[in-house]
């Protein structure tokens, strides 16, 4: 409405006598003439005769009155700023402004609640920072609007942090353009019933931090000069243009969009002048860097009548949601660095768009956020990353985090139907990672569950010759089931893990799941109620008696004592599986 403060408007209608020059309304000794754009009275016409349909006449009447009323409100309120100063003097004590329109009285009450006044509050933060989370919670509890700049997500803003504060530590809080400090300084302002905080907020002047906007993911990112492009990439560009890519037949099998190894070697020798051995070596490098693959996965690269294809021509490529028409030809980043970047972005997304307990996620807001756009851009770095360089714990954390991130991406992009059967198609949501496709199902059952069959499936995710089998965890850890969130209300809450503390964090995830109604013990009925996850993946937990003994390790003292008592007397214990809520956790 053009005012400097937020206002709460309450409208009431009242009956009035027809306006005449002698009975015009007066507001603060100022005569208000009828607005020139207000509708003029219309004299009765032939359409008002008795033979006109009654319902039509009443419909026209109410439509006209509604139009007159809405027009009066919108045009009358536009004059509020002009009269606000004089009117506020008249009602200085009660903070209420009153003015009249024809047939309408409007009261404008100015709210003095400091929590709803416009503020220029902003602060720098980092992902998974406890002090930053405390600052964020402080502002949210008081309904104070603020701008948060997470320098782990918006790396280009870290330079601004250093320039404005002289330090890279966070949080750093600004009221307007004035630096307040960190969490300690913010807590110091809460003395005397937040009076000092209110005073500092009212004195805030100038612009704070600019809100995150569309931009580059790295501050120093520059376009490479042509002469700096690596030799292998130059070769790839030539091969894509000149190799005879077509469908071939070998051993009664049709290989789509491929070329022969001998054709690649011949082109390198003829076009670049390489020696034969050098050309074969380049072919092996192209396989190692995941530019090309053997169509049947039989070897890395050999000269002869072996068929290969570019990764972008693989049959699965159109189903990969991190592929945008062309592969990322940049030199692959270290897998650990990509995992770290992914984790920080997703931490930032949860901190901004999920509830404090992480039980509810605002997928609509995430889909519209700049953080999510940068996450989607980052997923292109996965296309040719070398996952074999990861340690066992790094591999575990990488795929746990990637699964939970892909769930969020899948819900935003394709939606999700309820029910274990209907979600099987949802589980086919996949990324191109390290030159191969990985779906939600293959990550969970092939990698994290050590290549075990999924429920209601008769085959394992990876066959004996599948290159992805090299990444499958050697030993299954049943705790992975409590680190995976499938986006439903009954699943464990969404979280992301550190490669250095992943084992401890998984144990904490299991304990928290059981604390939040994940298990119920009825001592009198000798019955244990648990999640159906144990039923679907019974092979991961063993027989019921062994499963219950395993659960004891992650229960609080009270529930652990009850379960130990039931198991200790040797009598039969009933196991009941709770109903599963398949609705989205939004």
């Amino acid at each position: 409405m053009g005012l400097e403060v937020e206002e709460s408007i309450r409208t009431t209608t009242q009956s009035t006598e027809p306006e005449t020059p002698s009975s015009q309304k007066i507001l603060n000794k100022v005569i208000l003439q009828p607005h020139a754009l207000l509708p003029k009275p219309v004299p009765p016409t032939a359409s008002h005769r008795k033979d006109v349909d009654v319902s039509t006449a009443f419909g026209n009447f109410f439509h006209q009155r509604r139009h007159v009323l809405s027009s009066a409100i919108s045009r009358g309120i536009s004059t509020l700023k002009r009269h606000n100063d004089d009117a506020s003097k008249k009602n200085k004590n009660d903070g209420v402004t009153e003015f009249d329109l024809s047939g309408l009285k409007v009261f404008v009450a100015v709210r003095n609640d400091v929590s709803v006044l416009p503020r220029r509050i902003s602060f720098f933060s980092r992902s998974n920072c406890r002090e930053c989370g405390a600052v964020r919670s402080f502002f949210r509890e008081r309904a104070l609007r603020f701008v948060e700049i997470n320098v782990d997500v918006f790396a280009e803003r870290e330079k601004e942090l250093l320039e404005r504060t002289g330090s890279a530590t966070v949080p750093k809080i600004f009221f307007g353009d004035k630096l307040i400090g960190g969490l300690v300084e913010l807590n110091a302002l809460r003395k005397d019933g937040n009076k000092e905080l209110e005073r500092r907020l009212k004195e805030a002047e100038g612009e704070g931090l600019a809100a995150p906007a569309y931009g580059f993911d790295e501050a120093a990112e520059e376009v490479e000069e042509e002469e700096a492009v690596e030799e292998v990439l130059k070769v790839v560009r030539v091969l894509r243009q000149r190799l005879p890519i077509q469908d071939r037949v070998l051993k009664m099998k049709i290989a789509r969009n491929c070329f022969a190894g001998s054709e690649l070697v011949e082109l390198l020798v003829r076009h670049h002048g390489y020696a034969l051995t050098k050309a074969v070596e380049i072919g092996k490098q192209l396989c190692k860097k995941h530019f090309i693959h053997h169509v049947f996965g039989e070897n890395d690269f050999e000269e002869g009548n072996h068929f290969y294809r570019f990764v972008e021509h693989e049959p699965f490529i159109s189903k990969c949601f991190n592929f945008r028409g062309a592969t990322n030809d940049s030199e692959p980043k270290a897998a650990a660095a990509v995992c770290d970047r992914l984790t920080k972005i997703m931490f930032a997304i949860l901190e901004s768009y999920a509830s404090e307990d992480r039980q509810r996620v605002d997928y609509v807001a995430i889909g519209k956020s700049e953080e999510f756009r940068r996450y989607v851009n980052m997923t292109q770095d996965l296309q040719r990353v070398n996952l074999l360089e990861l340690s066992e714990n790094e591999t575990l954390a990488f795929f746990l985090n990637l699964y939970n991130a892909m769930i969020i991406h899948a819900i935003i992009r394709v939606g999700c139907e309820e029910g274990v059967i209907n979600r099987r198609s949802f589980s086919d949501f996949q990324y191109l990672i390290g030159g191969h496709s990985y779906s939600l199902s293959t990550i969970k059952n092939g990698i994290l569950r050590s290549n075990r069959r999924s429920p209601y499936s008769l085959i394992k995710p990876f066959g004996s010759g599948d290159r992805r089998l090299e990444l499958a965890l050697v030993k299954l850890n049943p705790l992975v089931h409590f680190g995976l969130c499938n986006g439903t209300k009954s699943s464990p809450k969404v979280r992301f893990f550190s490669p250095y503390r992943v084992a401890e964090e998984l144990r904490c995830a299991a304990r928290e799941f059981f604390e939040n109604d994940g298990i119920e013990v009825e001592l009198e009925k000798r019955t244990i109620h648990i999640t159906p996850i144990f039923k679907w993946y019974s092979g991961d937990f063993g027989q019921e008696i062994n499963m219950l003994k395993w659960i004891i390790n992650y229960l609080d003292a009270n529930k652990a004592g009850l379960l130990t008592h039931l198991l200790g007397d040797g009598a039969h214990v009933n196991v009941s599986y709770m109903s599963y809520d398949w609705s989205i956790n939004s």
Side-chain angles (χ1 to χ4, degrees):
M1 293 186 296
L3 298 179
E4 295 299 323
V5 297
E6 294 182 351
E7 299 172 322
S8 174
I9 298 179
R10 174 169 53 91
T11 63
T12 59
T13 59
Q14 63 178 14
S15 61
T16 60
E17 295 296 327
E19 293 289 347
T20 65
S22 62
S23 61
Q24 290 175 328
K25 302 297 179 179
I26 298 179
L27 173 64
N28 294 338
K29 299 180 181 180
V30 178
I31 298 178
L32 300 179
Q33 299 293 342
H35 199 287
L37 297 180
L38 287 176
K40 300 297 187 297
V42 180
T45 62
S47 62
H48 294 83
R49 295 196 307 260
K50 293 183 178 180
D51 57 345
V52 177
D53 181 70
V54 176
S55 61
T56 302
F58 273 104
N60 292 336
F61 170 77
F62 284 113
H63 176 75
Q64 292 172 1
R65 293 301 299 169
R66 182 175 58 193
H67 177 72
V68 171
L69 181 61
S70 62
S71 298
I73 292 174
S74 60
R75 291 179 174 85
I77 290 178
S78 66
T79 65
L80 180 59
K81 181 176 177 59
R82 184 182 63 195
H83 300 291
N84 185 61
D85 294 338
D86 294 335
S88 60
K89 294 178 181 178
K90 175 182 176 182
N91 302 283
K92 185 176 181 180
N93 294 331
D94 57 8
V96 176
T97 301
E98 175 184 343
F99 68 98
D100 290 344
L101 294 174
S102 178
L104 179 70
K105 179 180 286 185
V106 179
F107 298 90
V108 180
V110 180
R111 297 178 61 180
N112 294 319
D113 185 0
V114 68
S115 66
V116 299
L117 295 177
R119 300 300 181 197
R120 297 186 179 92
I121 302 175
S122 51
F123 74 100
F124 287 102
S125 67
R126 293 187 186 275
S127 298
N128 201 28
C129 168
R130 290 187 178 181
E131 291 191 359
C132 297
V135 172
R136 188 183 306 110
S137 297
F138 177 86
F139 292 145
R140 286 176 176 173
E141 290 171 0
R142 287 155 182 78
L144 295 171
R145 294 192 298 273
F146 61 94
V147 172
E148 179 179 357
I149 307 296
N150 187 315
V151 294
D152 285 333
V153 179
F154 307 99
E156 67 276 11
R157 303 295 292 271
E158 188 166 7
K159 181 180 179 181
E160 181 183 355
L161 169 64
L162 292 171
E163 291 175 349
R164 300 186 68 161
T165 68
S167 171
T169 59
V170 293
K172 285 294 190 298
I173 306 166
F174 288 83
F175 289 174
D177 55 7
K178 186 174 182 180
L179 174 63
I180 298 300
L183 180 61
V184 174
E185 291 76 11
L186 180 63
N187 286 332
L189 299 179
R190 302 168 61 180
K191 299 178 181 178
D192 300 326
N194 291 327
K195 291 182 179 180
E196 179 64 16
L197 174 64
E198 294 181 13
R199 185 184 69 81
R200 298 290 288 272
L201 286 173
K202 291 179 180 179
E203 294 176 352
E205 296 180 355
E207 295 297 331
L209 305 177
Y214 182 93
F216 296 104
D217 293 339
E218 301 293 341
E221 187 175 13
E222 297 180 356
V223 179
E224 293 179 320
E225 297 294 336
E226 184 64 27
E227 58 269 20
V229 177
E230 59 177 320
E231 181 181 11
V232 173
L233 184 54
K234 290 182 180 180
V235 172
V236 169
R237 291 173 177 173
V238 173
L239 295 177
R240 283 175 175 156
Q241 295 177 357
R242 302 196 177 191
L243 277 175
I245 298 174
Q246 57 190 13
D247 296 346
R248 315 289 179 111
V249 178
L250 179 66
K251 299 179 180 179
M252 303 299 293
K253 296 181 180 179
I254 299 178
R256 305 287 185 184
N257 300 319
C258 60
F259 56 88
S262 58
E263 294 171 337
L264 184 147
V265 172
E266 181 183 356
L267 182 59
L268 292 178
V269 172
R270 186 179 71 254
H271 184 272
H272 288 278
Y274 290 123
L276 180 62
T277 55
K278 177 65 174 178
V280 173
E281 180 62 27
I282 290 177
K284 292 182 179 180
Q285 290 184 34
L286 296 181
C287 279
K288 184 178 180 180
K289 291 179 177 290
H290 302 297
F291 283 108
I292 63 175
H293 286 159
H294 191 280
V295 293
F296 302 124
E298 295 176 354
N299 57 61
D300 288 333
F301 184 81
E302 294 181 9
E303 184 188 9
N305 195 25
H306 299 279
F307 293 154
Y308 302 87
R309 66 163 64 98
F310 286 99
V311 172
E312 57 265 34
H313 295 152
E314 293 282 3
F316 58 76
I317 199 68
S318 62
K319 300 179 182 179
C320 295
F321 283 81
N322 66 330
F323 179 79
R324 297 183 177 180
T327 54
N328 182 358
D329 289 341
S330 301
E331 182 66 18
K333 297 179 181 178
V338 175
C339 179
D340 181 64
R341 173 74 170 157
L342 179 151
T343 304
K344 288 178 177 178
I345 292 180
M346 296 311 299
F347 260 124
I349 286 176
L350 289 185
E351 290 167 346
S352 298
Y353 306 106
S355 60
E356 291 290 339
D357 59 5
R358 301 294 190 266
Q359 297 289 350
R360 300 183 308 278
V361 181
D362 190 346
Y363 295 103
V364 175
I366 293 175
K368 298 177 181 178
S369 68
E370 174 65 10
E371 293 93 331
F372 183 69
R373 186 196 68 82
R374 296 195 178 208
Y375 162 75
V376 173
N377 281 347
M378 186 226 66
T379 60
Q380 297 180 82
D381 292 338
L382 298 169
Q383 294 177 1
R384 297 192 301 109
V385 71
N386 182 11
L387 298 178
L388 294 176
E389 65 188 22
L390 294 174
S391 66
E392 184 175 356
N393 281 341
E394 287 175 334
T395 300
L396 175 59
F398 177 87
F399 281 104
L400 284 170
N401 294 342
L402 187 60
Y403 181 92
N404 290 335
M406 288 175 65
I407 285 286
I408 294 175
H409 192 176
I411 292 176
I412 293 172
R413 186 66 185 272
V414 302
C416 180
E417 296 185 19
E418 300 179 5
V420 64
I421 302 298
N422 294 333
R423 286 178 62 94
R424 295 185 68 181
S425 58
F426 174 81
S427 298
D428 290 334
F429 185 90
Q430 56 192 275
Y431 280 176
L432 173 63
I433 309 172
H436 301 279
S437 66
Y438 289 83
S439 67
L440 290 168
S441 179
T442 54
I443 289 176
K444 181 175 183 177
N445 302 298
I447 303 297
L448 298 175
R449 295 185 60 235
S450 304
N451 199 34
R452 298 195 176 196
R453 298 178 180 87
S454 63
Y456 313 108
S457 177
L458 299 178
I459 59 175
K460 295 182 177 180
F462 305 141
S464 58
D466 197 316
R467 294 295 181 91
R468 297 172 294 180
L469 191 57
E470 299 179 64
L471 294 169
L473 298 181
V474 177
K475 184 178 180 180
L476 170 67
N477 183 353
L479 289 173
V480 298
H481 291 287
F482 305 98
L484 299 176
C485 175
N486 61 13
T488 64
K489 291 183 178 179
S490 288
S491 76
K493 74 178 187 180
V494 59
R495 64 177 73 225
F496 294 90
F497 300 86
S498 166
Y500 309 105
R501 301 179 61 246
V502 61
E504 177 185 349
E505 290 170 345
L506 279 174
R507 289 192 291 270
C508 291
R511 293 191 187 100
E512 186 172 338
F513 179 81
F514 289 119
E515 288 176 2
N516 296 330
D517 302 324
I519 185 172
E520 296 179 7
V521 181
E522 287 190 281
L523 192 60
E524 298 79 6
K525 297 182 180 180
R526 303 187 60 83
T527 301
I528 310 296
H529 302 274
I530 55 177
T531 174
I533 292 175
F534 288 97
K535 179 181 180 181
W536 299 331
Y537 300 97
S538 57
D540 298 354
F541 298 96
Q543 299 297 322
E544 286 187 349
I545 186 66
N546 295 327
M547 175 185 67
L548 295 176
K549 291 180 179 178
W550 181 88
I551 291 176
I552 290 177
N553 299 314
Y554 305 99
L555 300 181
D556 58 46
N558 182 38
K559 291 181 179 178
L562 292 176
L563 186 53
T564 302
H565 174 74
L566 290 178
L567 296 176
D569 59 12
H572 179 70
V573 177
N574 301 313
V575 176
S576 173
Y577 297 99
M578 303 174 180
S579 59
Y580 197 91
D581 189 348
W582 288 99
S583 55
I584 303 299
N585 60 339
S586 58

